[in-house]
């Protein structure tokens, strides 16, 4: 079966523009996570979805960032008025139901590299 | 923009030797610890995890050791191969509000010398 896919793989935009990044999780995975990874750093949590609802958006840096998952499958991360500091790789991961007594492996997509000029 | 001048700790190992990658964690409430491997241009890939009530777990060519007293985690790779070259991240899981929250540490770059 297919893994997690993300589109586009690369996105170059100008400061102030709006961008959308898409994530297609593994079929049947109810939990979906967005992370941001800067050069030389580990992934940094942004937001978690259980089904259609954002259960934890505490990692979103400010109100320019927003994410949706309207049908409980595909998710879109939206960034308004992009800034140069938003340049990073945005990773999406999915897993089976989250929060059980055992660790549910997060499967990561290849990421979208965002460059804000 | 992205930070420049950031240097990942790097471990250089001769092919066939054993590798040991170390990690310190911070959250005493974490119940699982996980190692991920990330190759250039790819997302992190799960290697092995260990529950907090264990101190050792073995997989295929890999062993994870957990020392809760000093909050230290290590990944041992036996007979390191060129395909093991990657950045390795430790991560810790905590259960929060009924779901799992995973926090990643800083990575270590493993370079295998043929």
């Amino acid at each position: 079966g297919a893994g997690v896919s993300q589109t586009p793989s690369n996105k170059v935009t100008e400061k102030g523009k709006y961008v959308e990044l898409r994530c297609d999780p593994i079929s049947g995975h109810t939990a979906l996570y967005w992370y941001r990874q800067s050069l030389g750093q580990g992934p940094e949590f942004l937001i978690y979805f259980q089904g259609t609802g954002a259960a934890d958006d505490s990692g979103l840096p400010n109100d320019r960032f927003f994410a949706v998952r309207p049908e409980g499958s595909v998710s879109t991360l939206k960034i308004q008025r992009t800034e140069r500091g938003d340049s990073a790789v945005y990773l999406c991961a999915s897993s089976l139901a989250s929060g059980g007594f055992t660790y549910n492996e997060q499967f990561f997509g290849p990421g979208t590299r965002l460059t804000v000029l | 923009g992205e930070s420049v001048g950031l240097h990942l700790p790097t471990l250089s190992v001769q092919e066939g030797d054993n590798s040991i990658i170390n990690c310190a964690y911070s959250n005493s409430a974490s119940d699982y610890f996980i190692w991920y491997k990330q190759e250039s241009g790819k997302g992190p890939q799960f290697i092995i995890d260990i529950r907090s009530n264990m101190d050792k777990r073995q997989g295929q060519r890999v062993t994870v050791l957990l020392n809760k007293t000093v909050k230290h985690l290590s990944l041992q790779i036996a007979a390191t191969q060129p395909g093991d070259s990657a950045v390795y991240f430790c991560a810790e899981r905590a259960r929060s509000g009924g779901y799992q929250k995973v926090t990643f540490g800083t990575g270590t770059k493993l370079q295998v010398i043929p």
Side-chain angles (χ1 to χ4, degrees), chain A residues 52-116:
Chain A
T52 60
D56 184 349
D57 64 358
S58 63
L60 295 178
N62 51 60
D63 61 6
R64 295 186 298 104
F65 289 75
F66 188 71
V68 295
R69 195 185 184 199
E71 297 177 358
S73 179
V74 170
S75 177
T76 305
L77 178 65
K78 308 180 181 194
I79 310 174
Q80 298 177 320
R81 303 183 304 280
T82 51
E83 300 178 355
R84 293 192 180 90
D86 299 335
S87 296
V89 174
Y90 289 82
L91 293 163
C92 175
S94 69
S95 73
L96 293 170
S98 177
F101 290 104
T102 59
Y103 172 62
N104 282 311
E105 181 183 342
Q106 293 186 3
F107 293 83
F108 282 83
T112 294
R113 180 175 296 278
L114 176 66
T115 304
V116 182

Side-chain angles (χ1 to χ4, degrees), chain B:
Chain B
E2 296 181 3
S3 301
V4 295
L6 267 176
H7 297 287
L8 275 173
T10 300
L11 176 66
S12 295
V13 174
Q14 203 74 35
E15 181 179 356
D17 286 352
N18 297 335
S19 304
I20 300 177
I21 300 171
N22 297 301
C23 174
Y25 67 90
S26 57
N27 187 357
S28 300
S30 295
D31 64 347
Y32 268 91
F33 300 89
I34 312 118
W35 282 99
Y36 277 90
K37 172 186 180 183
Q38 188 173 27
E39 296 173 290
S40 182
K42 296 183 179 180
Q45 179 184 11
F46 173 87
I47 302 173
I48 190 169
D49 62 13
I50 186 168
R51 194 162 188 158
S52 60
N53 62 354
M54 301 171 66
D55 52 23
K56 180 178 180 179
R57 189 174 185 206
Q58 290 186 292
Q60 188 172 11
R61 280 203 308 120
V62 295
T63 300
V64 56
L65 299 178
L66 175 63
N67 184 331
K68 293 185 290 293
T69 303
V70 294
K71 295 184 180 176
H72 183 268
L73 190 67
S74 70
L75 177 71
Q76 302 178 0
I77 305 173
T80 313
Q81 302 169 358
D84 295 328
S85 293
V87 177
Y88 290 79
F89 291 98
C90 64
E92 50 188 308
R93 177 194 103 145
R95 294 170 69 202
S96 170
Y99 79 99
Q100 62 183 15
K101 192 161 187 175
V102 176
T103 303
F104 286 79
T106 53
T108 297
K109 184 175 182 179
L110 177 64
Q111 288 183 330
V112 181
I113 305 163

Side-chain angles (χ1 to χ4, degrees), chain A residues 11-84:
Chain A
K11 176 71 177 177
V12 180
T13 191
E14 293 179 343
K15 180 176 178 295
K17 298 290 188 182
Y18 168 82
V19 296
E20 289 189 351
L21 312 179
R22 177 188 167 108
C23 172
D24 278 87
I26 292 172
S27 178
H29 281 189
T30 57
L32 185 145
Y33 310 78
W34 282 99
Y35 293 86
R36 178 167 70 174
Q37 186 173 30
S38 298
L39 189 64
Q41 306 269 350
E44 176 190 18
F45 171 79
L46 294 177
I47 187 169
Y48 158 70
F49 286 91
Q50 179 59 43
T52 60
D56 184 349
D57 64 358
S58 63
L60 295 178
N62 51 60
D63 61 6
R64 295 186 298 104
F65 289 75
F66 188 71
V68 295
R69 195 185 184 199
E71 297 177 358
S73 179
V74 170
S75 177
T76 305
L77 178 65
K78 308 180 181 194
I79 310 174
Q80 298 177 320
R81 303 183 304 280
T82 51
E83 300 178 355
R84 293 192 180 90

